[in-house]
Amino acid sequence: MSKDTRTIEALLKENRTFPPPPAFAAAANARDAGLYKEGEDMEKFWAREAARLHWFRPWDRVLEWEYPLAWWFNGGTLNVSYNCLDRHLETWRRNKAALIWEGEPGDSVVLTYRDLYREVNKFAACLRSLGVKRNDRVTIYLPMIPELPIAMLACTRIGAVHNVVFGGFSAAALRDRINDIGAKVLITADGGFRKGKIVALKENADTALAETPTIEKVIVTKRTGQRINMQPGRDLWWHELMAAAPLYTPPEHMEAEDPLFILHTSGTTGKPKGVVHTTAGYLVGVTTTSRYIFDLKDEDVYWCTADIGWITGHSYVVYGPLANGATVLMYEGSPDYPQPDRYWQIIEKYGVTVFYTAPTAIRSFMRAGPAYPARHDLSSLRLLGTVGEPINPEAWMWYYNYIGHRRCPIVDTWWQTETGMILITPLPGLTPLKPGSACRPFPGVEAAVVDDRGEPVPPGKGGYLVIKKPWPAMMRTIFNDPERYVNQYWNRIPGYYFTGDGARVDEDGYFWLLGRVDDVINVSGHRIGTMEVESALVDHPDVAEAAVISREHEIKGQAIVAFVTVKDGVEATPRLAQELKEHVVQKIGALARPEAIFFTAELPKTRSGKIMRRLLRDIAEGRALGDTSTLADPATVARLKAAYAEEA
Ligand code: WTA
């Protein structure tokens, strides 16, 4: 039996429950949200939450819904940076820490709300002075340094649409994203620190910029200080621009449905999708979920370890917590640098109270052992969270015991780049927890598990996870591809939003996520499309065909495995395999590096010519082979199995 199957079986048998600690429950923010009863008018609920924000003009309608298009809070105008900053300056929070930042080398910076406000205002003025206007696109390619949230908030202040590209993406990936959205300005850094080394961001940017005709100006912030090229007339230093910038930039009054940002994510084709989020609904969604799910109080030091280059960082490092006036901790580097206790050291140093991380990180901490957290005082912690992939009950229990010391509730939060906000989660203080279950839909969210015709499946049976009603932070479209948006998300199971995830619901109405049901791989909580890796491989001159699948991995959850056929006359050597891995890194980034490459004379295909990935997965995970009767050449499988066994 494979480990994957064992995990699912363990999930099926999991029946421990953990009731909320009474002291936590007594003070939980979620008691407010808990007032929402199923079947109640969800528009009322969202309107009540939206009223906590600052509106220049109130909305006319909470929701307009013309399947599958939604408009939230139409008629209202607001500004995201105003809600995250200006609003708090009118209160005692003006001198509260907004951002506590720690660099990987151990340097640190604290910005109060007033400080952050000033930096954002100045940088907004810099962008304006370069001709950036409402609705212009700005690409941000930065490490996890304060300039990253500053740049994002400055864009929102003037109505520019940001597109953050994760610093681990390659020059080619950066280029493609810039060209997809036609960005006018790029904001980057000389470099960033990662595992004690320098990531050469500006150098990557220079390579990308050779093929990005829309970029007019590049703003470069100095982080590492290594030598870089500055192209006169195009490249400008952040600190020089800021030195001359005025202290105040008036916030644009944005329409509720004006685009706020575009973030690319992997799907089932070779080309990542530019997911578009808009202003009001997104802000209402992330502010509300942050408040109830992370139970944010003014005394909290809140730390979400996600890189801001991913949606988790957008929603739950930057916008949600800052809109709530929280103190946000941000860390630049790697969890195991210089030692596997870096996170625990940071929690102790700053007295972190709410901690949100990914199951893959927890599994690697488990492997390092409980001695690392035991060295540190973690008693400040009161609430833990996870996101990015299903958490196995074993990792959940370890987190609960060794990090939370059996005191802290754990919120296992299910959501996606497309959903913008958490949709399925426990409410801490209200929901009894079951290890491995994301528990129940957030108030106002209607989720269900259905078969491929959209019929509900009975409790305990697996099916597709769908969302039945619109929610405020839902994506509005795919940039420049509205048809793909409708087809991909709303036409798969007509009537519902199709998540691409499998799930089951138990007798208590708890949701258990079972992983992706499409060609998306989840490596260490990062989404990678099999087709993206395949196109990177066939882009190499020696490769004829490639099929990419995932194989279970103890720490990463899933690992990438590629089956490759080479062109006539090419010799399939271990050196070529190495070269192909590097080629993928260059095309996409290190996160997409295949763990293994298997050369084969042919790939198993159906009679209609489709590659049978399920078979490849079975081979890679050593499972008994399923039905091969549709295979064009059944002997292929036997040959593949033999080849795989030899190399594995
Ligand atoms: C997976 C990350 C199980 C899921 C916020 C989803 C999860 C994909 C969970 C989205 C969870 C995320 N339990 N699976 N708590 N959270 N996923 O767009 O497969 O990077 O579809 O957004 O991650 O990944 P994305």
Side-chain angles (χ1 to χ4, degrees):
M1 187 166 58
S2 86
K3 231 182 55 256
D4 231 17
T5 330
R6 278 206 304 272
T7 311
I8 291 173
E9 296 226 328
L11 279 176
L12 291 175
K13 289 204 203 92
E14 183 60 54
N15 53 16
R16 285 170 285 197
T17 55
F18 296 81
F24 193 108
N29 289 351
R31 283 179 315 167
D32 277 4
L35 297 176
Y36 173 87
K37 294 280 172 306
E38 221 156 298
E40 219 181 297
D41 182 359
M42 60 129 175
E43 290 185 31
K44 271 198 195 131
F45 171 74
W46 288 117
R48 178 157 58 89
E49 295 303 324
R52 297 179 197 274
L53 296 176
H54 180 273
W55 298 78
F56 298 125
R57 193 153 76 81
W59 61 88
D60 300 324
R61 296 273 302 270
V62 175
L63 170 66
E64 282 151 69
W65 174 232
E66 281 171 30
Y67 177 87
L69 303 179
W71 294 264
W72 283 88
F73 306 107
N74 245 348
T77 63
L78 74 170
N79 183 279
V80 168
S81 82
Y82 189 96
N83 275 286
C84 292
L85 301 169
D86 306 43
R87 202 155 62 101
H88 305 311
L89 300 193
E90 294 155 19
T91 71
W92 68 271
R93 287 194 186 113
R94 77 174 68 84
N95 289 320
K96 175 181 173 173
L99 213 58
I100 299 176
W101 174 82
E102 168 139 325
E104 195 184 75
D107 45 341
S108 80
V109 170
V110 178
L111 294 174
T112 64
Y113 269 94
R114 187 91 186 33
D115 294 333
L116 186 59
Y117 165 83
R118 199 178 52 236
E119 295 302 299
V120 167
N121 271 276
K122 285 168 63 181
F123 196 65
C126 299
L127 290 174
R128 271 233 171 110
S129 73
L130 299 180
V132 178
K133 300 181 308 294
R134 245 172 122 121
N135 208 28
D136 282 345
R137 268 87 58 209
V138 172
T139 297
I140 306 178
Y141 184 58
L142 284 173
M144 282 287 282
I145 56 178
E147 285 81 353
L148 175 48
I150 291 169
M152 293 162 78
L153 287 160
C155 285
T156 73
R157 195 159 189 90
I158 61 172
V161 179
H162 62 65
N163 181 222
V164 181
V165 178
F166 170 58
F169 277 122
S170 68
L174 173 63
R175 176 200 61 201
D176 293 348
R177 282 160 175 75
I178 290 174
N179 290 337
D180 183 43
I181 61 157
K184 194 167 177 178
V185 167
L186 169 68
I187 303 165
T188 188
D190 50 355
F193 292 108
R194 186 82 197 171
K195 286 189 199 283
K197 295 200 196 79
I198 284 174
V199 184
L201 291 171
K202 179 59 164 63
E203 206 179 300
N204 285 347
D206 285 338
T207 309
L209 286 160
E211 295 170 303
T212 55
T214 56
I215 294 283
E216 295 167 12
K217 297 285 176 198
V218 180
I219 305 176
V220 185
T221 184
K222 195 176 270 187
R223 167 62 184 141
T224 50
Q226 87 266 28
R227 273 192 52 171
I228 54 166
N229 276 328
M230 292 290 281
Q231 182 174 307
R234 185 195 68 185
D235 300 354
L236 305 156
W237 282 111
W238 174 293
H239 58 269
E240 288 177 6
L241 282 171
M242 288 289 266
L247 292 181
Y248 181 69
T249 301
E252 284 283 323
H253 291 206
M254 303 304 291
E255 300 289 336
E257 286 293 347
D258 275 336
L260 178 66
F261 66 82
I262 303 166
L263 186 62
H264 289 90
T265 191
S266 295
T268 47
T269 72
K271 190 173 173 282
K273 304 174 271 202
V275 169
V276 177
H277 282 289
T278 58
T279 305
Y282 175 81
L283 191 63
V284 171
V286 300
T287 307
T288 307
T289 44
S290 296
R291 175 182 156 84
Y292 295 128
I293 299 165
F294 301 116
D295 195 47
L296 293 175
K297 305 271 170 36
D298 264 318
E299 305 75 38
D300 279 311
V301 178
Y302 163 86
W303 183 18
C304 164
T305 65
D307 193 290
I308 293 174
W310 308 109
I311 191 68
T312 306
H314 281 58
S315 301
Y316 299 112
V317 178
V318 183
Y319 295 118
L322 293 179
N324 278 286
T327 294
V328 176
L329 190 123
M330 190 177 154
Y331 166 59
E332 176 183 33
S334 162
D336 54 359
Y337 186 83
Q339 292 277 312
D341 65 344
R342 186 63 185 271
Y343 278 5
W344 321 132
Q345 183 218 336
I346 292 174
I347 290 173
E348 182 176 31
K349 180 171 171 188
Y350 298 103
V352 171
T353 57
V354 181
F355 179 67
Y356 186 34
T357 195
T360 183
I362 297 166
R363 287 191 299 265
S364 68
F365 299 138
M366 276 173 80
R367 175 136 91 185
Y372 286 103
R375 278 189 206 160
H376 299 278
D377 178 3
L378 303 181
S379 61
S380 57
L381 290 172
R382 65 181 194 90
L383 174 61
L384 304 175
T386 74
V387 61
E389 51 181 315
I391 183 164
N392 42 315
E394 196 191 354
W396 196 101
M397 287 308 304
W398 192 90
Y399 197 31
Y400 187 74
N401 287 329
Y402 292 105
I403 307 306
H405 293 282
R406 312 185 70 84
R407 286 181 295 106
C408 306
I410 297 178
V411 287
D412 172 358
T413 62
W414 177 91
W415 60 297
Q416 311 176 299
T417 305
E418 295 89 335
T419 69
M421 63 184 241
I422 296 167
L423 292 188
I424 304 179
T425 177
L427 291 175
L430 253 67
T431 314
L433 307 172
K434 300 188 189 188
S437 169
C439 297
R440 303 172 60 92
F442 189 76
V445 172
E446 273 189 49
V449 176
V450 300
D451 63 20
D452 46 19
R453 293 187 326 271
E455 300 298 327
V457 302
K461 265 201 81 185
Y464 301 112
L465 177 66
V466 296
I467 312 295
K468 295 165 95 169
K469 295 262 173 69
W471 62 100
M474 63 196 272
M475 73 185 288
R476 298 301 195 264
T477 190
I478 295 175
F479 191 77
N480 276 342
D481 204 349
E483 252 172 62
R484 188 174 171 201
Y485 169 66
V486 175
N487 288 333
Q488 188 111 46
Y489 297 104
W490 297 95
N491 284 350
R492 293 284 293 276
I493 297 179
Y496 302 145
Y497 168 82
F498 178 72
T499 63
D501 277 25
R504 69 181 180 88
V505 180
D506 69 15
E507 310 68 40
D508 300 326
Y510 277 49
F511 285 68
W512 299 77
L513 278 303
L514 303 171
R516 300 287 305 194
V517 294
D518 54 9
D519 293 326
V520 171
I521 303 183
N522 193 324
V523 183
S524 302
H526 299 150
R527 268 166 78 165
I528 296 160
T530 51
M531 289 276 284
E532 274 174 79
V533 183
E534 286 168 9
S535 357
L537 285 166
V538 295
D539 174 78
H540 189 282
D542 291 346
V543 173
E545 256 191 323
V548 166
I549 53 143
S550 65
R551 177 168 78 184
E552 51 171 85
H553 188 280
E554 192 191 340
I555 306 289
K556 297 177 183 170
Q558 294 187 318
I560 299 173
V561 175
F563 290 83
V564 168
T565 62
V566 291
K567 287 188 182 152
D568 277 349
V570 172
E571 213 191 320
T573 59
R575 211 167 120 209
L576 179 61
Q578 202 49 39
E579 198 179 309
L580 293 181
K581 288 183 190 178
E582 284 318 308
H583 191 72
V584 174
V585 171
Q586 250 187 35
K587 286 270 142 187
I588 305 174
L591 72 168
R593 185 197 308 269
E595 190 184 64
I597 288 187
F598 295 100
F599 292 112
T600 153
E602 69 249 273
L603 292 169
K605 289 187 185 154
T606 61
R607 291 194 187 96
S608 62
K610 272 172 65 180
I611 295 172
M612 297 181 79
R613 287 165 210 284
R614 182 178 49 80
L615 267 185
L616 292 174
R617 255 191 308 270
D618 287 345
I619 292 168
E621 293 184 347
R623 270 193 296 274
L625 298 177
D627 178 23
T628 56
S629 55
T630 51
L631 200 65
D633 174 13
T636 305
V637 174
R639 282 195 293 271
L640 261 173
K641 257 185 92 173
Y644 188 90
E646 238 168 63
E647 294 186 48

mmCIF file of all heavy atoms in Angstrom, residues 21 24 147 198 257 276 296-297 501 526:
data_model
loop_
_atom_site.group_PDB
_atom_site.id
_atom_site.type_symbol
_atom_site.label_atom_id
_atom_site.label_comp_id
_atom_site.label_asym_id
_atom_site.label_seq_id
_atom_site.Cartn_x
_atom_site.Cartn_y
_atom_site.Cartn_z
ATOM 1 N N PRO A 21 -10.592 25.699 23.817
ATOM 2 C CA PRO A 21 -10.296 25.996 25.228
ATOM 3 C C PRO A 21 -11.251 27.088 25.726
ATOM 4 O O PRO A 21 -11.444 28.085 25.025
ATOM 5 C CB PRO A 21 -8.855 26.528 25.197
ATOM 6 C CG PRO A 21 -8.334 26.266 23.819
ATOM 7 C CD PRO A 21 -9.491 26.031 22.916
ATOM 8 N N PHE A 24 -10.154 30.810 25.622
ATOM 9 C CA PHE A 24 -10.083 31.320 24.252
ATOM 10 C C PHE A 24 -11.485 31.614 23.735
ATOM 11 O O PHE A 24 -11.770 32.678 23.191
ATOM 12 C CB PHE A 24 -9.391 30.287 23.345
ATOM 13 C CG PHE A 24 -9.000 30.847 22.005
ATOM 14 C CD1 PHE A 24 -7.658 31.077 21.708
ATOM 15 C CD2 PHE A 24 -9.962 31.165 21.048
ATOM 16 C CE1 PHE A 24 -7.290 31.611 20.480
ATOM 17 C CE2 PHE A 24 -9.607 31.701 19.822
ATOM 18 C CZ PHE A 24 -8.266 31.923 19.539
ATOM 19 N N GLU A 147 10.055 47.001 1.644
ATOM 20 C CA GLU A 147 9.722 47.692 0.395
ATOM 21 C C GLU A 147 8.627 46.972 -0.382
ATOM 22 O O GLU A 147 7.929 47.597 -1.193
ATOM 23 C CB GLU A 147 10.970 47.831 -0.490
ATOM 24 C CG GLU A 147 11.949 48.891 -0.020
ATOM 25 C CD GLU A 147 12.867 48.435 1.111
ATOM 26 O OE1 GLU A 147 12.670 47.310 1.639
ATOM 27 O OE2 GLU A 147 13.776 49.195 1.479
ATOM 28 N N ILE A 198 22.994 34.961 -1.868
ATOM 29 C CA ILE A 198 22.298 36.077 -2.494
ATOM 30 C C ILE A 198 21.519 35.590 -3.712
ATOM 31 O O ILE A 198 22.057 34.854 -4.543
ATOM 32 C CB ILE A 198 23.308 37.176 -2.892
ATOM 33 C CG1 ILE A 198 23.731 37.944 -1.628
ATOM 34 C CG2 ILE A 198 22.704 38.121 -3.920
ATOM 35 C CD1 ILE A 198 24.833 38.945 -1.867
ATOM 36 N N GLU A 257 -15.414 47.859 -8.028
ATOM 37 C CA GLU A 257 -14.964 46.782 -8.909
ATOM 38 C C GLU A 257 -13.725 47.145 -9.722
ATOM 39 O O GLU A 257 -13.359 46.432 -10.664
ATOM 40 C CB GLU A 257 -16.104 46.321 -9.821
ATOM 41 C CG GLU A 257 -17.178 45.491 -9.097
ATOM 42 C CD GLU A 257 -16.668 44.136 -8.601
ATOM 43 O OE1 GLU A 257 -15.571 43.715 -9.010
ATOM 44 O OE2 GLU A 257 -17.371 43.511 -7.779
ATOM 45 N N VAL A 276 -7.452 37.976 -11.569
ATOM 46 C CA VAL A 276 -7.742 39.390 -11.283
ATOM 47 C C VAL A 276 -8.625 39.514 -10.038
ATOM 48 O O VAL A 276 -9.703 38.919 -9.981
ATOM 49 C CB VAL A 276 -8.471 40.052 -12.475
ATOM 50 C CG1 VAL A 276 -8.846 41.499 -12.135
ATOM 51 C CG2 VAL A 276 -7.603 39.999 -13.730
ATOM 52 N N LEU A 296 -7.724 38.411 15.471
ATOM 53 C CA LEU A 296 -6.768 39.500 15.693
ATOM 54 C C LEU A 296 -7.240 40.487 16.754
ATOM 55 O O LEU A 296 -8.346 41.023 16.695
ATOM 56 C CB LEU A 296 -6.502 40.239 14.382
ATOM 57 C CG LEU A 296 -5.776 39.401 13.334
ATOM 58 C CD1 LEU A 296 -5.655 40.175 12.020
ATOM 59 C CD2 LEU A 296 -4.411 38.967 13.842
ATOM 60 N N LYS A 297 -6.360 40.689 17.738
ATOM 61 C CA LYS A 297 -6.595 41.647 18.813
ATOM 62 C C LYS A 297 -5.451 42.653 18.775
ATOM 63 O O LYS A 297 -4.385 42.362 18.220
ATOM 64 C CB LYS A 297 -6.570 40.921 20.172
ATOM 65 C CG LYS A 297 -7.536 39.746 20.292
ATOM 66 C CD LYS A 297 -8.876 40.216 20.785
ATOM 67 C CE LYS A 297 -9.993 39.214 20.729
ATOM 68 N NZ LYS A 297 -9.759 37.828 20.981
ATOM 69 N N ASP A 501 -10.415 20.715 -6.574
ATOM 70 C CA ASP A 501 -10.024 19.872 -5.441
ATOM 71 C C ASP A 501 -11.047 18.764 -5.209
ATOM 72 O O ASP A 501 -12.242 18.955 -5.435
ATOM 73 C CB ASP A 501 -9.950 20.708 -4.148
ATOM 74 C CG ASP A 501 -8.627 21.427 -4.005
ATOM 75 O OD1 ASP A 501 -7.985 21.682 -5.038
ATOM 76 O OD2 ASP A 501 -8.234 21.736 -2.873
ATOM 77 N N HIS A 526 3.176 24.817 -3.060
ATOM 78 C CA HIS A 526 3.204 25.673 -4.254
ATOM 79 C C HIS A 526 2.577 24.955 -5.435
ATOM 80 O O HIS A 526 2.895 23.806 -5.719
ATOM 81 C CB HIS A 526 4.648 26.071 -4.609
ATOM 82 C CG HIS A 526 5.313 26.851 -3.529
ATOM 83 N ND1 HIS A 526 6.662 26.815 -3.318
ATOM 84 C CD2 HIS A 526 4.806 27.688 -2.597
ATOM 85 C CE1 HIS A 526 6.956 27.601 -2.296
ATOM 86 N NE2 HIS A 526 5.844 28.134 -1.838
#
